[in-house]
């Protein structure tokens, strides 16, 4: 038994402790249930009230998608023809020597020999390279005349051995020519005779990138022997152009050349063949020297299109090629030009209910209207458009941008 509770002095009478309520089995109810029971009683008597509000989840209202726009522009449109070709070094040279003697020096494959530089050595005598289309086929001395004399004088002036004010470049070998030759021979370290013999030089249209050297050092050389084969230092593309495209191409025409790297360089058509040939399904062998035509050729079964050969010179420095000097490239020939026309991205075109083309114009305030248009040239992702309701600077929707 517990002792009866006593009130503290001056306080309220003590309430004897009561055991907490129990449920069957002697287990005690939690004290907080007493409070819950009280709330239930108050609710039953109407002293406590509540309201249930049914709130649905709030979702954002859909907003109309804003499509990208692009302006209507006025410019020149150019359609084109693309032809695959083979990039390589321009020109193929095979130089034939006219000197007799023992070979004492040869260049290495890959060397580039320019005007006035040694390209062969015979009996310890340097054989320099001169530029020009005419090989030195005869001795030249005062009194000689001809195209080979003009060629020699041009080289002497270019090398700085003759003053143009002193030496007139023409077809006559004069004393002024002889003086310039002696100055040139002095710089070469050979006998200063003032005359030039056929075996004294080799000629080529320009600088030569050495490919192969035929004679070995120590080999006995005879006049008329091939000595060096190589190419020019520039680059060109050779291709087989379909005969039906020939009216679109002309010598001197500017073109674009697409490189394997993805870049492009400028080019100029230098030769346009007049001999029709039938394309083969395979390029001709020969590597850089042969400059085989591009693939594919468009053959269908045993039927191959007729073509003409075309060569395109690469313009600009070699560095623009990005280190790609040989390989398959694409030449883009402009075929038709439309000057000062309105155009939009091709993706801007829609088809109206009547099946005609239209575009959607977007005003500065965001309003939209569909305008029918007439289409013209399609090229480079754009299309020529015209119509009463469209003008330069208008904004058109382009759904797929």
């Amino acid at each position: 038994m517990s002792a009866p509770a006593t009130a503290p002095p001056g306080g309220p009478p003590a309430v004897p402790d009561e055991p907490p309520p129990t449920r069957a089995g002697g287990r005690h109810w939690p004290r907080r249930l007493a409070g819950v029971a009280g709330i239930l009683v108050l609710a039953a008597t109407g002293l406590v009230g509540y309201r249930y509000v049914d709130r649905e989840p709030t979702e954002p209202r859909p907003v109309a998608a804003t499509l990208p726009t692009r302006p209507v522009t006025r410019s020149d449109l150019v359609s084109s023809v693309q032809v695959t070709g083979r990039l390589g070094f321009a020109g193929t040279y095979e130089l034939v020597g006219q000197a007799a003697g023992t070979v004492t020096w040869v260049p290495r494959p890959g060397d580039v020999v320019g005007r006035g530089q040694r390209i062969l050595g015979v009996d310890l005598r340097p054989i320099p390279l001169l530029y020009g289309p005419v090989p030195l086929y005869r001795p030249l001395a005062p009194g000689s005349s001809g195209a080979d004399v003009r060629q020699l004088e041009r080289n002497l002036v270019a090398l700085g051995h003759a003053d143009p004010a002193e030496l007139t470049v023409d077809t006559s070998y004069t004393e002024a020519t002889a003086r310039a030759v002696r100055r040139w021979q002095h710089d070469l370290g050979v006998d200063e005779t003032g005359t030039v013999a056929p075996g004294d030089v080799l000629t080529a249209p320009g600088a030569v990138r050495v490919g192969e050297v035929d004679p070995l050092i120590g080999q006995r050389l005879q006049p008329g022997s091939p000595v060096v084969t190589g190419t020019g230092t520039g680059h060109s593309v050779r291709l087989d152009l379909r005969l039906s495209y020939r009216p679109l191409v002309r010598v001197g025409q500017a073109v674009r050349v697409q490189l394997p790297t993805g870049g492009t360089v400028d080019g100029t058509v230098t030769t346009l063949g007049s001999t029709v040939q039938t394309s083969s399904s395979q390029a001709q062998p020969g590597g850089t020297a042969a400059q085989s035509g591009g693939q594919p050729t468009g053959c269908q079964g045993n039927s191959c299109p007729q073509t003409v050969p075309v060569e395109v010179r690469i313009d600009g420095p070699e560095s623009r090629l990005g280190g790609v000097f040989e390989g398959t490239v694409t030449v883009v020939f402009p075929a038709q030009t439309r000057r000062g026309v309105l155009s939009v991205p091709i993706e801007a075109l829609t088809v109206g209910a009547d099946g005609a083309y239209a575009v959607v114009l977007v005003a500065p305030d965001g309003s939209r209207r569909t305008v029918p248009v007439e289409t013209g040239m399609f090229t480079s992702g754009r299309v020529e458009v015209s119509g009463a309701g469209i003008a330069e600077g208008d904004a058109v929707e382009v759904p797929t941008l």
Side-chain angles (χ1 to χ4, degrees):
M1 294 290 295
S2 59
T6 60
V15 179
D17 290 337
E18 294 182 3
T22 61
R23 59 176 177 175
R27 298 181 64 182
H28 297 286
W29 288 91
R31 291 182 183 274
R32 63 177 175 268
L33 291 183
V36 174
I39 293 173
L40 293 176
V41 172
L42 292 174
T45 60
L47 298 179
V48 175
Y50 67 92
R51 181 178 63 180
Y52 175 73
V53 179
D54 185 9
R55 295 180 179 272
E56 295 183 356
T58 302
E59 296 182 358
R61 296 181 178 179
V63 179
T66 301
L67 297 177
T69 63
R70 290 293 183 270
V72 179
T73 60
R74 184 179 298 278
S75 61
D76 296 344
L77 293 184
V78 180
S79 65
S80 61
V81 171
Q82 299 186 5
V83 184
T84 303
R86 181 77 180 175
L87 171 68
F89 292 105
T92 301
Y93 305 143
E94 184 172 6
L95 307 185
V96 177
Q98 297 297 330
T102 301
V103 176
T104 53
W105 184 88
V106 295
R108 295 173 299 180
D111 285 350
V112 175
V113 182
R115 189 199 309 263
Q117 296 179 334
R118 178 177 59 169
I119 195 169
L120 192 68
V122 178
D123 295 341
L124 297 179
R125 179 166 49 91
I127 308 298
L129 178 70
L130 297 184
Y131 291 176
V134 182
L136 193 57
Y137 62 94
R138 59 173 180 156
L140 296 180
S144 300
S145 64
D148 49 355
V149 174
R150 184 193 302 273
Q151 178 175 283
L152 173 64
E153 291 177 340
R154 283 177 176 168
N155 280 275
L156 293 171
V157 171
L159 291 170
H161 299 298
D163 186 344
E166 176 188 354
L167 175 63
T168 301
V169 176
D170 55 18
T171 59
S172 300
Y173 199 117
T174 64
E175 285 300 324
T177 309
R179 287 193 297 271
V181 168
R182 282 192 288 268
R183 287 192 289 267
W184 172 45
Q185 291 170 332
H186 175 78
D187 285 352
L188 291 174
V190 299
D191 294 339
E192 300 174 25
T193 62
T195 62
V196 183
D200 290 345
V201 299
L202 291 174
T203 60
V208 175
R209 186 184 299 270
V210 176
E212 296 181 1
V213 180
D214 290 337
L216 302 174
I217 293 179
Q219 183 176 338
R220 188 70 181 175
L221 191 66
Q222 298 296 328
S225 302
V227 290
V228 174
T229 59
T231 67
T233 56
H235 292 79
S236 68
V237 179
R238 294 195 178 182
L239 53 92
D240 294 328
L241 180 72
R242 287 198 181 197
L243 186 59
S244 58
Y245 294 153
R246 192 179 189 280
L248 304 176
V249 180
R250 68 183 187 280
V251 174
Q253 181 180 22
V255 299
R256 297 290 289 171
V257 179
Q258 298 175 352
L259 303 173
T261 59
T264 61
V265 294
D266 296 328
T268 303
V269 178
T270 55
T271 61
L272 175 59
S274 57
T275 302
V276 177
Q277 56 193 18
T278 300
S279 294
S280 170
S281 60
Q282 295 183 354
Q284 299 299 317
T288 301
Q291 300 262 340
S292 56
Q295 297 185 33
T297 61
C299 296
Q300 297 181 353
N302 294 326
S303 176
C304 292
Q306 291 184 313
T307 63
V308 292
V310 175
E311 183 170 7
V312 174
R313 181 188 69 241
I314 301 298
D315 299 331
E318 186 177 85
S319 59
R320 296 189 60 187
L321 295 176
V324 178
F325 303 141
E326 298 180 74
T328 301
V329 297
T330 300
V331 180
V332 181
F333 296 90
Q336 183 183 5
T337 301
R338 296 280 293 163
R339 300 193 180 280
V341 296
L342 297 178
S343 69
V344 298
I346 293 176
E347 295 84 358
L349 290 180
T350 63
V351 179
D354 58 354
Y357 283 120
V359 295
V360 177
L361 299 185
V362 181
D365 61 2
S367 60
R368 304 162 66 250
R369 62 189 178 95
T370 301
V371 176
V373 294
E374 294 288 336
T375 60
M377 178 186 292
F378 287 75
T379 180
S380 302
R382 299 190 68 84
V383 56
E384 175 189 354
V385 293
S386 60
I390 190 169
E392 181 180 2
D394 287 345
V396 294
E397 283 187 348
V398 187
T400 60
L401 280 180

